[in-house]
């Protein structure tokens, strides 16, 4: 798909003759919506600094054992799965704006429950609520931003969605460096509360208002966001079709569908979520002296390479970035696994007896020095991850354009 492709450049609501709108309120509206992905990222990264803090907590505060810590990190994905289904239902019935307003409620409620937690079940319940909000926000925010943006800034604002997610993760790591788990949860209430406040003053997207036959409101929203309604064009009738299982019999439907779902599955199975959820715990297990610092380094690397991947994606190509990312992630995870094998594997459970004996003879300081291998391999893994994610989003966007129904919503 090239930039000259008419399907890419033709706006849904756009002025003809190349006269670009200059309304600046669209950036405020996009920022308000992007606080949802920021909250999403904070919820993902929260478990990394919170788990060590909760494992060290003294009564009467709840304390996590290894099994509970595993659930504390992972249960957010169960809520996100349910939130994705709920968000798909809400976005077309309640609208984009109301869906974003509603998803701020479980964000705030979830972190509030964690803040007031007296036992492990309250902690898990709070994480489940934040996961539910994550699922809704990750679906609705990109739709809202793409539908309010005019063509000249649509790509820029769309790229901010994933960037805000990794900024939220980094914010959780940085705050976790100085805050214990309760105060970190209090901080987690701030972004969704700010989103709730700002979105109250933002309009619904013109596209959704058109589908509800509210033309006057759509034009008012357009004037608010773009500064003018000059050249406003109605979307083509029948531009979107609902999905029916019978459509999967058509090769033009099931091939993009299978490819898109497979790409998403492999991206999730790469293990990047596990690294985000348990970064600090991983580095503690790796005997790194300052696991909080290592987590912050990983977060910074992720933000930087996410921005770089967004900039080079169109020039380097989607397929090349996916292949390069896969090679980098395989190499880095292999190095990380080798580190744990060398430092923790004993002669009794290793087929490489001579190697294990050699490592076991090393002084403790040598193992601690090798901890930088763990940090380096994880940074390399994270550096490769954004390339795969941006290529994945671009591929899904291309496949989305090939199908007459919206089986995936990408920024």
């Amino acid at each position: 798909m090239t930039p000259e492709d008419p399907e890419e450049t033709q706006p849904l609501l756009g002025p003809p003759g190349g006269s670009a709108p200059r309304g600046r309120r669209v950036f405020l509206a996009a920022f308000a919506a992007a606080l949802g992905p920021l909250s999403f990222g904070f919820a993902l990264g929260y478990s990394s600094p919170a788990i060590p803090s909760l494992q060290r907590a003294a009564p009467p505060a709840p304390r996590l054992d290894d099994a509970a810590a595993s659930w504390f990190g992972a249960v957010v994905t169960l809520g996100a799965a349910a939130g994705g289904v709920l968000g798909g239902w809400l976005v077309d019935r309640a609208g984009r704006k109301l869906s974003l307003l509603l998803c701020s409620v479980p964000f705030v409620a979830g972190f509030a429950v964690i803040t007031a937690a007296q036992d492990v079940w309250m902690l898990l319940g709070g994480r489940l609520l934040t996961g539910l909000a994550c699922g809704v926000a990750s679906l609705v925010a990109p739709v809202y931003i793409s539908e309010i943006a005019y063509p000249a800034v649509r790509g820029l604002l769309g790229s901010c969605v994933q960037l805000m997610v990794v900024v939220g993760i980094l914010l959780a790591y940085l705050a976790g460096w100085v805050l214990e788990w309760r105060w970190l949860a209090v901080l987690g209430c701030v972004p969704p509360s700010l989103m709730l406040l700002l979105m109250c003053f933002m309009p619904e997207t013109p596209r959704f208002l058109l589908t509800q036959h509210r033309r006057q409101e759509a034009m008012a929203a357009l004037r608010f966001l773009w500064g003018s309604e000059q050249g406003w064009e109605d979307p083509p009738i029948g531009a979107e079709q609902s999905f029916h299982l019978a459509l999967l019999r058509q090769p033009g439907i099931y091939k993009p569908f299978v490819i898109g779902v497979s790409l998403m599955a492999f991206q999730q199975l790469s293990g990047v979520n596990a690294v985000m959820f348990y970064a600090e715990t991983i580095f503690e297990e790796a005997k790194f002296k300052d696991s909080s610092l290592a987590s912050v380094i990983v977060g910074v690397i992720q933000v930087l390479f996410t921005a770089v991947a967004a900039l080079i994606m169109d020039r380097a190509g989607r397929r090349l970035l996916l292949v390069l990312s896969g090679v980098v992630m395989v190499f880095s995870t292999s190095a990380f696994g080798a580190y744990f094998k060398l430092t923790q594997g004993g002669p009794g459970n290793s087929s490489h007896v001579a190697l294990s004996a050699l490592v076991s003879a090393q002084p403790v300081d040598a193992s601690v020095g090798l901890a930088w291998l763990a940090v380096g391999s994880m940074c390399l893994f994270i550096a490769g991850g954004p390339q795969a994610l941006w290529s994945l989003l671009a591929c899904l966007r291309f496949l989305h354009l090939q199908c007459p129904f919206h089986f995936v919503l990408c920024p």
Side-chain angles (χ1 to χ4, degrees):
M1 184 69 65
T2 62
E4 292 76 23
D5 192 307
E7 283 190 288
E8 282 287 303
T9 58
Q10 180 63 34
L12 177 67
L13 302 169
S19 58
R22 297 182 180 274
R24 296 182 179 179
R25 289 175 180 171
V26 66
F27 296 100
L28 178 60
F31 171 75
L35 288 172
L38 180 70
S39 304
F40 175 23
F42 193 94
L44 292 183
Y46 174 80
S47 61
S48 175
I51 286 175
S53 179
L54 283 164
Q55 288 180 323
R56 296 189 296 265
R63 187 171 184 175
L64 298 180
D65 56 21
D66 289 342
S70 179
W71 275 107
F72 185 77
V75 74
V76 71
T77 59
L78 297 179
V85 177
L86 177 62
W89 181 84
L90 278 176
V91 73
D92 286 328
R93 288 165 178 79
R96 285 64 161 147
K97 174 183 175 179
L98 183 56
S99 297
L100 285 172
L101 290 172
L102 291 176
C103 83
S104 65
V105 176
F107 265 131
V108 175
F111 280 118
V113 169
I114 292 174
T115 302
Q118 300 299 317
D119 54 44
V120 172
W121 289 107
M122 290 185 69
L123 292 173
L124 297 181
R127 287 287 284 171
L128 192 65
L129 283 174
T130 57
L132 180 71
C134 287
V136 177
S138 64
L139 187 145
V140 179
V143 177
Y144 183 87
I145 292 174
S146 65
E147 291 186 359
I148 65 170
Y150 48 85
V153 298
R154 187 169 294 149
L156 172 66
L157 294 181
S159 64
C160 291
V161 174
Q162 179 59 27
L163 191 60
M164 290 294 277
V165 173
V166 294
V167 168
I169 294 173
L170 176 60
L171 178 61
Y173 290 172
L174 284 170
W177 202 358
V178 295
L179 298 177
E180 58 98 27
W181 62 275
R182 285 193 194 273
W183 285 108
L184 190 60
V186 172
L187 180 61
C189 296
V190 175
S193 298
L194 184 58
M195 179 179 69
L196 178 63
L197 177 63
L198 290 178
M199 285 302 300
C200 288
F201 301 98
M202 298 299 114
E204 180 57 85
T205 69
R207 179 170 186 163
F208 176 77
L209 292 172
L210 284 175
T211 63
Q212 303 300 306
H213 308 291
R214 294 154 64 182
R215 185 182 182 88
Q216 294 300 321
E217 293 181 48
M219 288 191 294
L222 202 64
R223 288 193 297 269
F224 179 88
L225 295 166
W226 292 12
S228 172
E229 63 184 60
Q230 182 180 5
W232 177 60
E233 298 177 356
D234 289 341
I237 299 174
E240 297 184 17
Q241 299 177 12
S242 59
F243 172 67
H244 302 286
L245 289 177
L247 291 173
L248 290 177
R249 298 175 184 176
Q250 305 174 23
I253 301 298
Y254 73 75
K255 287 182 180 180
F257 185 83
V258 171
I259 293 172
V261 171
S262 299
L263 284 172
M264 289 188 286
F266 283 122
Q267 191 270 337
Q268 290 296 311
L269 293 173
S270 67
V272 64
N273 283 344
V275 174
M276 294 298 99
F277 292 162
Y278 307 107
E280 194 163 326
T281 303
I282 289 173
F283 290 124
E284 284 188 353
E285 291 292 326
K287 300 181 177 66
F288 193 77
K289 184 176 181 181
D290 192 340
S291 57
S292 297
L293 173 62
S295 299
V296 170
I297 292 174
V298 167
V300 171
I301 292 292
Q302 188 179 39
V303 171
L304 291 177
F305 276 86
T306 297
V308 169
L311 293 175
I312 69 173
M313 180 180 63
D314 288 330
R315 296 181 180 180
R318 282 69 161 160
R319 184 176 182 273
L320 176 61
L321 283 180
L322 278 172
V323 173
L324 177 62
S325 179
V327 172
V328 170
M329 295 172 79
V330 167
F331 176 78
S332 59
T333 51
S334 299
F336 195 57
Y339 165 79
F340 271 101
K341 185 68 174 179
L342 290 173
T343 56
Q344 295 187 357
N349 62 358
S350 174
S351 58
H352 304 284
V353 178
L355 177 61
S356 297
L358 178 63
V359 173
S360 63
Q362 296 290 331
V364 174
D365 291 342
S367 296
V368 174
L370 276 176
W372 280 105
L373 174 61
V375 177
S377 60
M378 281 297 94
C379 288
L380 190 61
F381 176 82
I382 291 302
Q387 300 176 40
L389 181 58
W390 278 114
S391 301
L392 170 64
L393 292 176
C395 290
L396 291 177
R397 178 174 172 81
F398 172 79
L399 294 172
H400 164 67
L401 291 172
Q402 309 310 306
C403 298
F405 62 91
H406 297 310
F407 69 86
V408 64
L409 295 168
C410 296

